[in-house]
Structure formats: C-alpha cells, structure tokens
Amino acid sequence: MASDGFQPLDEKLLVEYLKATPSLAAKLGNQFDKLEIKEIGDGNLNFVYIVSSPSGSVVIKQALPYVRLIGESWPMTKERAYFEATTLQEQARLCPDHVPEVYHFDRKMCLIGMRYIEPPHIILRKGLISGIEYPLLAEHISEFMARTLFYTSLLYLTTTDHKSAVAKYCGNVELCRLTEQVVFSDPYKVSEYNRCTTPYLDADAEAVREDNILKLEIAELKSKFCERAQALIHGDLHTSSVMVTKNSTQVIDPEFGFYGPMGFDVGAFIGNLILAYFAQDGHADKGADRELYKEWILKTISDTWTLFYAKFTALWDKHKDGPGEAYLPEIYNNPDLQVAGEEKIYGRSSP
Amino acid sequence: MASDGFQPLDEKLLVEYLKATPSLAAKLGNQFDKLEIKEIGDGNLNFVYIVSSPSGSVVIKQALPYVRLIGESWPMTKERAYFEATTLQEQARLCPDHVPEVYHFDRKMCLIGMRYIEPPHIILRKGLISGIEYPLLAEHISEFMARTLFYTSLLYLTTTDHKSAVAKYCGNVELCRLTEQVVFSDPYKVSEYNRCTTPYLDADAEAVREDNILKLEIAELKSKFCERAQALIHGDLHTSSVMVTKNSTQVIDPEFGFYGPMGFDVGAFIGNLILAYFAQDGHADKGADRELYKEWILKTISDTWTLFYAKFTALWDKHKDGPGEAYLPEIYNNPDLQVAGEEKIYGRSSP
C-alpha cells in the first residue's frame, strides 16, 4: 500500500476490502462464500467491479492515477473519485429516481460502493446503436436535469450557500481541463487524440479547423465553461453516462461534476442525440431502414427540451418565495413581471 | 484581547503595536517619541490611522466586526481585512504605480499597514465636487483596470492557476452580499437604507421600482455578478476608492475584491463619473457655471473607455503566445482571425 493509503484492488484484495467494510458487507448479506465478481471494462478512466452474492449486489468503482483507456502515459488525478462521490450523493439527494445510491466512499482508496444498476439496463448509447426506443427517456432525463440544475442554482440557493458549494468543486480542475481540451480545443486543431473517418471526413475536419467565426463562438463558450459557476452540472452527460430500460433511466459517472453553466449538460445530451440521429444511416440495413427510429430520436430531442423547460420553470414557480436570491420576491413577484419577461423572451406582440 | 487574538486598537495600543512590529517600526525610523497619529474617520467600514514620525509615515487600517457607518447593529465580518490585504498585494504587484504597497498584514488583528498616500492627494469624489480637473485620471485608471483585469483573467492565466485563485476569494461572501444588496436589490425596492432627495426624486425612484424590463436586466447582471469568475475585480471602484493629485492616481480599499465580471469595475467607475456629471448643476454658482468642467468629465468618461480598450487589447497582443488558455495559439493565432473577430464585433463590411 502506498504511503497515502491508496492501493489498487484486484479481485482478491477486493474481497478482503468488502469483508472489512460493514456497509458493503451488509449489502451482500455478509455472504462471501458464493461471491461473483465481474470487472466490466468498458469505462475509459476507472476499474469497475460488479459484486454479487445470493442476497445482494454492489458496484465497486476505483479510480487509478491515470486514464485507463490510454494507460500510465496520461496521468489523471485519482481525486476524481471524491468529486464523483460528492456529485453522486448530491444528485441522488435531488433526484433519487434517476441516480444510483452511494453506499460507501473511501477517499484514500478513491473507491465508491454504489447501487448495482441491474439488467436489463444497458448503456443508452448501445441502445441507440441497436435502434431501441425508450418511451420515457425524455421524461426522465429532463426530470434529472431540471431538478439537479434548478436546486443547485441561485434560483433556489442563497448566495452564501451557492458560493460555499462552488468553492467545494474548485478543486476538480484536472477533470475540467480534460473537458476544456477534448471539447473546446482538440476538435479545432490537429491533435493526436482526434479521430475521424479518414479520408472521407478529412475535408470536413479541416473546414472546422479553418472556420474562424465558429472558433470565436467556441472561445466564448469555453470562457463560459471556465468562468460561469451557475449550477452543479454533471459535466459529461453524453449517452454513455446514462443507463436505460424501457421504464428506467439512471445517470452515472459524474466525476466531471462542478459548478458550471447549465447549458453544458443540456447541450451535451441533446448534442449526443443529434450525433445518434446522423449515425443511423450507418446502422441501417435491408430489414430496417431506421427511418421511424430517426423520427423517434428527433421527437426525443424536442421532448427533452420542451419537458426540461416546463419542469424547470415549474420548479421556479413552486419556489418563487423560497430561499433563492437571483430574483428576490419583494422585487420580482408581481403579476406584470411575467408578462414583461415573456415579452422580453418572445418579443413584444404587435399592436 | 478576544480569544481569537483580535483586539480593537486605540491610539495607545496602536503605539505599542507599532513598537512590537519591526516592518512598521522600520518605516517610522524606529522613532516613537515624536509620533503623530490621526484617525481619519471618513471610511464607512473601518478605522484608519495615519501615523507619522520625523522620518516616515504609515497608514494603519483595522477592520471591526461591524459596519462602522451604521454601528454594531450591522455586523460585518472582520475577515474582510484579509481579502483587502490579499487584493491590494495582488493589484500592487500588477500595477505598482497606482496601488499603495502593503508593508504588513496581521490576519488575527485584521490589520493592514500600508504606504501613506500623502497630501496633496485627496479622494477623487471630493475633487469632482470641487470642480478640479485631473488630466491624467483616464490614463491612470485605465492602466489600473487593464493590468489588474487582464493579468488575472484566462487571457493570461492557465485554467489551473485561475481556478485556484477563484477558490481563494470564494470566502469573501459577506462583502459580495453587501454589493448584491446595495447595488442589485435595494434600489429596486423600498428599503430602509435607500436615500433620495424627497420629495423631488420620489417619482423617479418609484419609476425605477416599477420598471419591469429594467429589473429583468438587473437580475441578469446580478446573476453574472454572482456566477461569473472572470478576473480579480476591485469590486467597489467608485470615485471614493480613488485618491488623486494632478499627477498621481492611487486606487485603495479593495476589500470587496473577488473573481467577478470585469465589467463591474469598468462600469462602476464610469457610472460614478456619470453621476458626477449630473451633480455639477448642483455645484454651479455665479462665478462658475461648471459647463467646461462638465465637458472635461464627458471627455474623461470617453477617454477612460477608449484607453482601457487600447491598453487591454495591447496586453492581449503582447501575451498572445503566453500562458493564457482562453484562446490557444494553435487555434487562434492566424492572420485571418483578427479580421473575423472584427467582423464579428463590428458587422461584416458591405460587398
């Protein structure tokens, strides 16, 4: 074990760890003779074990001090486990239906024990590739975004509580820098980690690199990402951070969580659906042209936004006399203001 | 002395403190027999002493745990001395010509020892009331704003350094809340601390309170103030935070310093000049109609902005291959981009 108390677990050490940790042992009914342990290696950054006994299951996630996908050549703070656990706990408090419960967090070991999201849940991206419709996806994801973003914003929090929450996440700088690089920088220059379908998309990639107007817009969005502490965002809300069945939607992997602009979560999710839409032609075959499925994706994009807007503003209405300090009731709660607000957003109606 | 090591100083205790503090005693040439001590009571928040010996002078500023102007009924964290000292030191490093040097800071005592800004310096607001022209004011204040704002922004800092600087100031929440109240809330509602020339301005004050479109704009500015950690701002850059002679401009009292939107400093200074402009009619008399002076104020407003813009963009040009991460050189340093940027700001030229 390293002097900082950190030790990467293999299966044998994992069992010892579970036996010695009452909160996790209890979830397994303290039965260790028939344990099944499966390492599910599709994460980019971490080791993730599913541990099952005849009376229960847990997921154990451990961060290592580098990016697993690439190896020890790309170091990455294992402190990300702290930000993941902290964000998971906060999001589970605000939206328990769509976030797995954290049973145990060990900061020194960078280890989280959490609820196992059981089959038939699969990663949403795989479902989109297989052409499966999820009729409740827009309803659920909009609920997750509305609740986690509203309740951590100044529409609900005092500026005192908001500033202290912002400060707690300022340390998540390495993960933020990874986003700055892979979302706001690499796509706009030649970079060793860029990948596109060569040679077919080379010209398109070059066109992006040479679109100065686009790049100026991106610079403004990057500054907003780095500067605007609006709400606790998931920070990586693509379709591989969501697990689904027809009836259930679970949002996982918030190690990029910090106080940033709300639009980054909403945009990431919708942007990934747009990518999935354009990818469908590549998945189509004789038996299934995917045209109806593309319609469903478009409807899900539109429903996600419409439902998010409705749920978010409903929370705002519900708490308009609450603790939030962005719009003080003494100044803003009067009947004319809603009209003024709508005119401002939608333009004045013609006389 | 309180258990936290804090003790409000009177003149006698102040002399003992100076004798026991080598960095301050040295500034006074270690001569304590002919000390002159003057308490200058025009601050709203703190006690400020000018201490002079035959061989030197210092200013001693001590924060008390309430707002001095109002009394113990309005408690206010004495930790503000820490944020004032920290901001002063950073601003003096970035712009030593226009910021007094800090000789000594005692966090427990909430006490700052700093350079005495000697006569004939006076508070700029008094100069504006007396109708005195300051030919270098725009040059100096634009230099102060350009340097302190540029060098603490992501145009110069890495996101790592920027985030850690932001975190350092998250604790200045009470002073930020004071600004939120007196700048972004009280003027738009009936409040016990509001003052206007009754009854002459009552209708104007009411019109402000009932202007819903204006209040929605103010809410957006307030959110930006609370959320956007753009650069280390002074936070209270009105004309009483500036001391002047014809040749010198010194910016003081940055206890409201934190990472906020740059526009708050630029806007506060220019806004105060606009107030001074409209106040001139009230200061005019037979011998001096103040018309020329009003012209000078207008010119100073325009020069302040023009010079700030020129100096800020010159710093940006100078450091375009520097450590700043808002615009990475590999993406943004190409000759076409400046044209694209100007088109974006000024509109495309007609064909």
Side-chain angles (χ1 to χ4, degrees):
Chain A
M1 192 179 294
S3 63
D4 61 358
F6 178 77
Q7 180 177 38
L9 293 183
D10 56 21
E11 292 200 12
K12 185 166 163 289
L13 290 168
L14 176 60
V15 174
E16 285 173 27
Y17 188 91
L18 293 168
K19 286 182 180 168
T21 308
S23 60
L24 297 175
K27 292 286 168 191
L28 300 166
N30 288 295
Q31 293 183 278
F32 300 102
D33 44 345
K34 289 184 185 162
L35 277 192
E36 270 185 56
I37 299 181
K38 196 159 61 171
E39 212 279 307
I40 46 169
D42 68 346
N44 294 340
L45 299 175
N46 307 287
F47 282 92
V48 181
Y49 298 95
I50 298 167
V51 184
S52 309
S53 83
S55 46
S57 306
V58 293
V59 161
I60 302 294
K61 183 169 180 179
Q62 186 177 36
L64 301 180
Y66 51 83
V67 177
R68 177 182 173 171
L69 178 73
I70 295 183
E72 301 193 22
S73 65
W74 190 337
M76 176 61 57
T77 175
K78 54 188 164 50
E79 268 291 279
R80 62 186 188 266
Y82 166 75
F83 293 105
E84 175 168 0
T86 307
T87 310
L88 267 179
Q89 286 164 331
E90 180 71 352
Q91 292 179 336
R93 186 178 70 79
L94 297 171
C95 192
D97 290 349
H98 303 299
V99 180
E101 187 189 346
V102 172
Y103 302 140
H104 170 77
F105 174 58
D106 181 335
R107 189 164 184 174
K108 280 186 183 161
M109 288 288 281
C110 307
L111 184 149
I112 304 171
M114 67 181 102
R115 174 159 62 81
Y116 172 45
I117 301 174
E118 71 291 342
H121 280 95
I122 60 170
I123 289 290
L124 172 58
R125 186 169 295 164
K126 293 183 181 169
L128 292 166
I129 290 170
S130 304
I132 303 168
E133 291 187 18
Y134 297 97
L136 295 175
L137 176 61
E139 179 75 33
H140 289 166
I141 203 78
S142 62
E143 180 82 8
F144 169 81
M145 296 192 302
R147 293 186 65 86
T148 58
L149 298 176
F150 175 82
Y151 283 112
T152 58
S153 77
L154 285 170
L155 298 174
Y156 183 74
L157 296 179
T158 64
T159 56
T160 307
D161 289 344
H162 190 261
K163 268 210 168 52
S164 93
V166 169
K168 196 157 74 174
Y169 288 89
C170 275
N172 203 9
V173 56
E174 276 197 48
L175 277 277
C176 284
R177 285 177 67 79
L178 186 53
T179 300
E180 290 157 26
Q181 178 185 339
V182 302
V183 174
F184 294 105
S185 299
D186 281 358
Y188 307 98
K189 63 188 182 79
V190 176
S191 162
E192 61 174 312
Y193 300 113
N194 286 346
R195 248 182 36 190
C196 77
T197 313
T198 299
Y200 311 104
L201 293 179
D202 288 355
D204 293 288
E206 193 188 349
V208 165
R209 288 196 298 273
E210 293 186 354
D211 186 335
N212 287 329
I213 298 293
L214 171 70
K215 292 197 295 183
L216 289 174
E217 295 290 339
I218 295 298
E220 284 183 29
L221 293 175
K222 181 181 178 182
S223 292
K224 219 169 172 178
F225 178 81
C226 297
E227 294 170 352
R228 187 134 197 175
Q230 197 173 29
L232 177 58
I233 68 174
H234 179 283
D236 198 29
L237 196 54
H238 52 64
T239 49
S240 283
S241 294
V242 181
M243 297 191 70
V244 285
T245 68
K246 295 266 181 189
N247 305 310
S248 165
T249 305
Q250 302 292 319
V251 180
I252 59 172
D253 292 355
E255 58 253 77
F256 289 81
F258 79 114
Y259 273 71
M262 297 181 187
F264 191 74
D265 275 1
V266 182
F269 187 75
I270 288 178
N272 265 258
L273 289 184
I274 293 172
L275 288 174
Y277 174 86
F278 284 106
Q280 292 305 316
D281 291 344
H283 302 310
D285 56 32
K286 268 189 203 148
D289 64 5
R290 297 281 179 116
E291 287 307 312
L292 281 175
Y293 193 61
K294 284 165 75 174
E295 292 292 318
W296 175 79
I297 296 180
L298 287 184
K299 184 171 179 314
T300 301
I301 291 172
S302 153
D303 287 353
T304 297
W305 174 256
T306 309
L307 288 166
F308 171 72
Y309 183 93
K311 287 166 191 275
F312 191 93
T313 49
L315 287 172
W316 193 353
D317 272 344
K318 180 177 169 188
H319 295 288
K320 68 181 195 295
D321 294 306
E325 292 186 316
Y327 294 80
L328 298 182
E330 314 92 276
I331 303 177
Y332 292 97
N333 285 1
N334 74 60
D336 294 341
L337 247 172
Q338 186 154 3
V339 178
E342 283 169 5
E343 279 176 351
K344 185 161 177 292
I345 293 166
Y346 300 113
R348 284 167 187 281
S349 52
S350 48
Chain B
M1 192 179 296
S3 62
D4 62 358
F6 178 77
Q7 181 178 39
L9 294 182
D10 57 21
E11 292 200 10
K12 184 163 166 291
L13 291 168
L14 175 60
V15 174
E16 285 173 26
Y17 188 91
L18 293 167
K19 285 182 180 169
T21 308
S23 60
L24 297 174
K27 292 286 167 192
L28 299 167
N30 288 294
Q31 292 185 279
F32 300 101
D33 44 344
K34 288 182 185 166
L35 278 191
E36 271 185 56
I37 298 180
K38 196 159 63 171
E39 212 279 308
I40 46 170
D42 68 346
N44 295 340
L45 299 177
N46 308 288
F47 282 92
V48 181
Y49 297 96
I50 298 167
V51 184
S52 308
S53 83
S55 46
S57 307
V58 294
V59 162
I60 302 295
K61 183 169 179 178
Q62 187 176 37
L64 301 181
Y66 51 82
V67 177
R68 178 183 173 172
L69 179 73
I70 294 182
E72 302 192 22
S73 65
W74 190 338
M76 175 62 55
T77 174
K78 54 189 166 46
E79 267 292 278
R80 63 187 187 264
Y82 166 75
F83 294 104
E84 175 167 1
T86 307
T87 311
L88 267 178
Q89 285 163 331
E90 179 70 352
Q91 292 179 337
R93 185 177 72 78
L94 298 171
C95 193
D97 290 350
H98 303 299
V99 180
E101 188 189 345
V102 171
Y103 301 140
H104 171 77
F105 173 58
D106 182 334
R107 189 163 184 175
K108 280 186 185 165
M109 287 288 282
C110 307
L111 182 149
I112 304 170
M114 68 181 102
R115 173 160 63 79
Y116 172 45
I117 301 173
E118 71 291 342
H121 281 94
I122 60 170
I123 289 290
L124 172 57
R125 185 169 296 164
K126 291 182 182 169
L128 292 166
I129 290 169
S130 303
I132 302 168
E133 291 187 17
Y134 296 98
L136 295 175
L137 176 61
E139 180 74 33
H140 289 168
I141 203 79
S142 61
E143 181 82 8
F144 169 81
M145 295 191 304
R147 294 185 66 84
T148 58
L149 298 177
F150 175 83
Y151 283 111
T152 58
S153 78
L154 284 170
L155 298 174
Y156 183 75
L157 297 179
T158 64
T159 56
T160 307
D161 290 345
H162 190 262
K163 268 209 171 50
S164 93
V166 169
K168 195 157 74 173
Y169 288 89
C170 274
N172 203 7
V173 55
E174 276 197 48
L175 277 278
C176 284
R177 286 177 66 80
L178 185 53
T179 300
E180 290 157 27
Q181 177 183 340
V182 302
V183 174
F184 293 105
S185 299
D186 281 358
Y188 307 98
K189 62 188 182 77
V190 176
S191 161
E192 61 174 312
Y193 300 113
N194 286 346
R195 247 182 37 189
C196 78
T197 313
T198 299
Y200 311 104
L201 293 179
D202 287 355
D204 293 288
E206 193 188 349
V208 165
R209 288 196 299 272
E210 295 187 352
D211 187 335
N212 287 329
I213 298 294
L214 171 69
K215 291 196 295 183
L216 288 174
E217 294 290 337
I218 294 299
E220 284 184 27
L221 293 175
K222 181 181 177 182
S223 292
K224 219 170 172 178
F225 178 81
C226 297
E227 293 169 353
R228 187 134 197 174
Q230 197 173 30
L232 177 58
I233 68 174
H234 179 283
D236 197 30
L237 196 53
H238 53 63
T239 49
S240 283
S241 294
V242 182
M243 296 191 71
V244 284
T245 67
K246 294 267 181 188
N247 305 309
S248 166
T249 306
Q250 303 293 319
V251 180
I252 58 172
D253 292 354
E255 59 252 78
F256 289 81
F258 79 114
Y259 273 71
M262 298 183 187
F264 191 75
D265 275 3
V266 182
F269 187 75
I270 288 179
N272 265 257
L273 288 184
I274 293 171
L275 288 175
Y277 174 86
F278 284 106
Q280 291 306 316
D281 291 344
H283 302 309
D285 56 32
K286 267 192 204 147
D289 65 5
R290 297 282 179 113
E291 288 307 312
L292 281 175
Y293 193 60
K294 284 165 75 174
E295 292 292 320
W296 175 80
I297 296 178
L298 287 184
K299 184 171 180 315
T300 300
I301 291 172
S302 153
D303 286 355
T304 297
W305 174 254
T306 310
L307 288 165
F308 170 73
Y309 183 92
K311 287 165 191 274
F312 191 92
T313 51
L315 288 171
W316 192 355
D317 273 344
K318 181 177 170 189
H319 295 288
K320 68 181 192 297
D321 295 305
E325 293 186 317
Y327 293 79
L328 298 182
E330 314 92 276
I331 303 177
Y332 292 98
N333 286 1
N334 75 61
D336 294 340
L337 246 172
Q338 187 154 3
V339 178
E342 282 169 7
E343 278 175 350
K344 185 162 178 288
I345 293 166
Y346 300 115
R348 285 167 186 282
S349 51
S350 48

